[in-house]
């Protein structure tokens, strides 16, 4: 087992371990440096150099396609990114947990594993520790009632750009789970065995840790205040190097793995327009979820059907089962006609139908066809499908900002095979697909064009090249 000094005093051992998991070359050296930085913070807080440590690589993710589909039972196409949380942990013998961040070295989280108390109430909105504390609180609630949980000293270094739409929030939820699960052997806990029977169940449970929902008999609480699904946790926990993963949700099901073309790469543009999920942005984010749920409810009420769980993917199934030849039109018309007859709804018919149309076309049409196009190296068709997805997110979800709309359009104009915004929206990032050979020159052209149009945002923007990497791993 690694000792803390192995991580801190030299990066060779860490690079070797990363290489075994497909993280090689300069990328491995960058991550080894992050692990060393995290380890030094443990030393600075009294952890002995000779103490055994565990190291975890927990990446962010790209949602290649699947904009706001997961919590409605739809599909998404996912990849793990090369940016990540690099976490170094040492075991404690008591039930205390000390969590340090290299971004906030003087502002640690110190809490007790034996309590479900909501210590986030004492924190200002948007405080960095909201997510790790939420994960710890949920773990205590679900696994600590009849077990004395042991704590860890955890130090986190991260190179995922903040509020970039790459799921830093979900990654830290996953990272805390991995560390505490390994420390306490939670997979052998009776509550785990009774409720989490598949790998996909764990991903769904981690989504519930964040959104606060119950998962079977594992009772939730308020979570972090967002009404999201488990797409991010699924990508972070399951993706593999060189592949895109297609999943559907509610329940989480792996549909296919698509090999990423060996001569292609992703270029990521972090717009500099911050994609936060707090304050007004949280309400806008949650409205997309509430619209999907309300559209499903109104459709079910119009047909007298009882669908469990209540989400749009089950409306697709119900419409097909009723014999409808055109599901998109059938559900749209039933929502509109039901409200025209005077039925009550939390949103207008126009908003509900618009949300339904975006979901159906993204999940049922675009994603399956895009996966096939990519497998066949039909980049023309793939690009056209991604263009349609990008248009729908602008016109129907209405969760884009001028910066992300322009980045996607500029990417296509400059020759990208495809380009799309991703994540929750209201800021964040855009991916572009290009040949590996031409990617560096394309990135510079893209960066220059963006700076000319959005000089203020571009000062906070960043660009990088990557291919799909591994999900969360223990070194």
């Amino acid at each position: 087992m690694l000792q803390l000094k192995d991580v801190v005093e030299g990066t060779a051992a860490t690079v070797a371990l990363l290489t075994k998991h497909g993280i090689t070359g300069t990328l491995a050296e960058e991550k080894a440096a992050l692990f060393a930085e995290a380890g030094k913070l443990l030393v600075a807080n009294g952890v002995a150099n000779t103490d055994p440590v565990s190291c975890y690589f927990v990446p962010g993710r790209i949602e290649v396609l699947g904009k706001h589909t997961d919590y409605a039972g739809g599909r998404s196409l996912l990849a793990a990114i090369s940016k990540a949380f690099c976490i170094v942990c040492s075991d404690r013998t008591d039930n205390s947990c000390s969590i340090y961040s290299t971004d906030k070295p003087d502002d640690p989280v110190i809490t007790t594993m034996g309590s479900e108390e909501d210590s986030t109430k004492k924190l200002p909105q948007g405080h960095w520790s909201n997510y790790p504390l939420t994960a710890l609180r949920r773990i205590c609630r679900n696994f600590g009632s009849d077990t004395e949980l042991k704590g860890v000293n955890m130090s986190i270094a991260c190179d995922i750009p903040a509020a970039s739409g790459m799921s830093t929030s979900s990654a830290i939820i996953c990272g805390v789970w991995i560390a505490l699960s390994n420390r306490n052997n939670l997979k052998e806990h009776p509550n785990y065995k009774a409720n989490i029977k598949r790998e996909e169940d764990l991903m769904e449970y981690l989504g519930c840790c964040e959104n606060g929902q119950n998962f079977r008999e594992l009772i939730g609480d308020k979570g972090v205040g967002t009404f999201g699904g488990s797409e991010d946790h699924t990508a972070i926990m399951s993706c593999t190097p060189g592949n895109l993963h297609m999943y559907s949700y509610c329940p989480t099901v792996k549909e296919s793995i698509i090999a990423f073309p060996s001569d292609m790469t992703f270029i990521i543009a972090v717009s500099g327009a911050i994609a936060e999920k707090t304050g007004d942005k949280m309400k806008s984010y949650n409205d997309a979820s509430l619209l999907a749920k309300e559209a499903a409810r109104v459709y079910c009420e119009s047909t007298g059907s009882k669908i469990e769980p209540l989400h749009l993917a089950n409306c697709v199934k119900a419409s097909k089962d009723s014999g409808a030849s055109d599901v998109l039109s059938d559900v749209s018309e039933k929502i509109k006609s039901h409200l025209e007859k005077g039925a009550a709804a939390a949103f207008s018919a126009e908003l509900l139908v618009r949300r339904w149309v975006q979901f159906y076309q993204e999940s049922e049409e675009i994603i399956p066809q895009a996966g096939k196009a990519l497998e066949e190296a039909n980049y023309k068709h793939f690009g056209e499908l991604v263009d349609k997805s990008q248009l729908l997110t602008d016109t129907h979800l209405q969760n884009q900002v001028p910066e992300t709309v322009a980045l996607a359009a500029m990417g296509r104009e400059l020759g990208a095979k495809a380009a799309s915004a991703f994540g929750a929206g209201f800021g964040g990032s855009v991916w572009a697909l290009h040949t590996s050979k031409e990617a560096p020159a394309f990135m510079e052209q893209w960066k220059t064009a963006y700076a000319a149009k959005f000089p203020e945002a571009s000062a906070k923007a960043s660009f990088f090249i990557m291919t799909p990497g591994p999900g969360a791993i223990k070194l």
Side-chain angles (χ1 to χ4, degrees):
M1 188 174 189
L2 284 172
Q3 292 183 333
L4 184 53
K5 64 181 180 182
D6 299 325
V7 179
V8 170
E9 295 177 359
T11 59
T14 313
V15 167
L17 291 170
L18 287 163
T19 301
K20 288 182 181 179
H21 293 280
I23 303 168
T24 60
T26 302
L27 191 59
E29 292 172 359
E30 290 173 356
K31 300 303 174 258
L34 285 175
F35 279 113
E37 189 179 348
K40 288 173 184 175
L41 190 53
L42 285 183
V43 173
N45 282 278
V47 179
N49 240 341
T50 54
D51 277 8
V53 292
S54 299
C55 295
Y56 306 101
F57 171 90
V58 186
R61 67 94 187 92
I62 298 176
E63 167 198 270
V64 180
L65 289 167
K67 299 172 179 70
H68 284 265
T69 52
D70 57 339
Y71 52 73
R75 293 181 177 85
S76 62
L77 187 62
L78 307 168
I81 65 171
S82 56
K83 305 290 186 182
F85 285 95
C86 295
I87 301 172
V88 182
C89 290
S90 68
D91 290 350
R92 296 179 64 98
T93 56
D94 59 14
N95 65 349
S96 292
C97 231
S98 298
I99 306 179
Y100 307 93
S101 168
T102 58
D103 284 342
K104 304 281 186 181
D106 298 322
D107 190 16
V109 176
I110 299 175
T111 190
T112 301
M113 288 297 297
S115 172
E116 294 179 31
E117 179 189 359
D118 183 6
S119 51
T120 63
K121 289 179 180 177
K122 305 171 186 175
L123 300 172
Q125 188 179 57
H127 193 272
W128 80 270
S129 63
N130 183 30
Y131 287 89
L133 284 172
T134 295
L136 288 170
R137 187 176 69 245
R138 182 65 180 261
I139 291 168
C140 290
R141 169 171 288 205
N142 295 155
F143 303 101
S145 60
D146 57 357
T147 305
E148 184 178 347
L149 298 177
K150 299 296 184 183
V152 295
N153 299 304
M154 178 187 300
S155 183
I156 301 166
C158 178
D159 61 358
I160 307 173
S164 60
M166 298 183 203
S167 298
T168 52
S169 56
S170 301
I172 197 61
I173 295 278
C174 293
V176 171
W177 162 263
I178 293 167
L180 270 298
S181 175
N182 285 336
R183 175 69 184 100
N184 293 282
N185 198 21
L186 292 182
K187 291 187 176 182
E188 295 302 315
H189 193 286
N191 291 353
Y192 187 100
K193 289 183 173 182
N195 292 281
I196 300 175
K197 301 180 183 298
R198 309 174 303 141
E199 181 185 358
E200 290 83 359
D201 290 343
L202 175 58
M203 302 164 195
E204 200 165 340
Y205 169 70
L206 292 172
C208 291
C209 290
E210 187 164 341
N211 64 35
Q213 295 176 16
N214 298 340
F215 182 77
R216 298 176 181 162
E217 296 177 1
L218 300 176
I219 304 303
D221 57 11
K222 72 182 183 69
V224 299
T226 54
F227 302 158
S230 59
E231 168 193 285
D232 302 343
H233 315 80
T234 299
I236 290 161
M237 297 294 286
S238 74
C239 279
T240 51
N243 295 309
L244 305 181
H245 288 235
M246 188 184 297
Y247 279 88
S248 58
Y249 304 92
C250 304
T252 302
V253 175
K254 183 188 290 183
E255 294 200 348
S256 65
I257 297 177
I258 299 166
F260 188 74
S262 60
D263 59 342
M264 291 287 165
T265 193
F266 284 121
I267 304 92
I268 309 300
V270 182
S271 70
I274 303 301
E276 293 179 336
K277 294 182 186 175
T278 57
D280 292 342
K281 294 289 181 67
M282 182 184 287
K283 181 182 184 305
S284 298
Y285 173 84
N286 285 340
D287 276 352
S289 176
L290 295 171
L291 275 162
K293 190 168 185 178
E294 184 71 346
R297 186 196 68 77
V298 172
Y299 167 76
C300 291
E301 190 174 271
S302 75
T303 60
S305 55
K306 295 189 183 296
I307 295 175
E308 292 293 339
L310 183 63
H311 55 60
L312 290 176
N314 275 343
C315 294
V316 174
K317 183 178 184 302
S319 179
K320 288 179 179 178
D321 290 346
S322 74
S325 58
D326 183 346
V327 172
L328 181 61
S329 296
D330 176 57
V331 175
S332 297
E333 288 304 316
K334 283 186 168 60
I335 291 171
K336 285 191 288 187
S337 62
H338 192 56
L339 295 187
E340 285 169 359
K341 292 173 185 174
F347 300 93
S348 69
E350 179 186 1
L351 288 174
L352 294 175
V353 169
R354 193 166 68 197
R355 181 69 181 90
W356 153 250
V357 168
Q358 183 275 333
F359 170 83
Y360 183 85
Q361 293 189 334
E362 180 87 359
S363 180
E364 299 296 314
E365 297 177 348
I366 293 171
I367 293 174
Q369 292 179 49
K372 188 171 186 292
L374 205 55
E375 286 182 314
E376 296 172 351
N378 186 345
Y379 300 121
K380 182 177 184 296
H381 188 38
F382 181 73
E384 291 167 348
L385 290 164
V386 173
D387 288 344
K388 184 176 181 181
S389 171
Q390 176 64 24
L391 179 63
L392 283 167
T393 196
D394 190 24
T395 60
H396 285 54
L397 272 180
Q398 297 187 340
N399 69 340
Q400 295 301 292
V401 295
E403 292 87 345
T404 52
V405 172
L407 274 167
M410 289 173 184
R412 290 291 270 155
E413 289 164 8
L414 291 169
K417 306 296 184 186
S420 177
F422 63 91
F426 312 107
S429 303
V430 174
W431 62 261
L433 181 73
H434 214 304
T435 60
S436 302
K437 182 178 179 181
E438 297 172 324
F442 166 82
M443 185 173 72
E444 290 306 315
Q445 291 175 320
W446 202 18
K447 191 187 302 185
T448 300
Y450 184 58
K453 189 162 186 177
F454 295 96
E456 186 176 342
S458 70
K460 297 176 283 186
S462 59
F463 292 71
F464 63 94
I465 296 170
M466 58 146 284
T467 54
I473 52 176
K474 179 181 180 181
L475 301 191

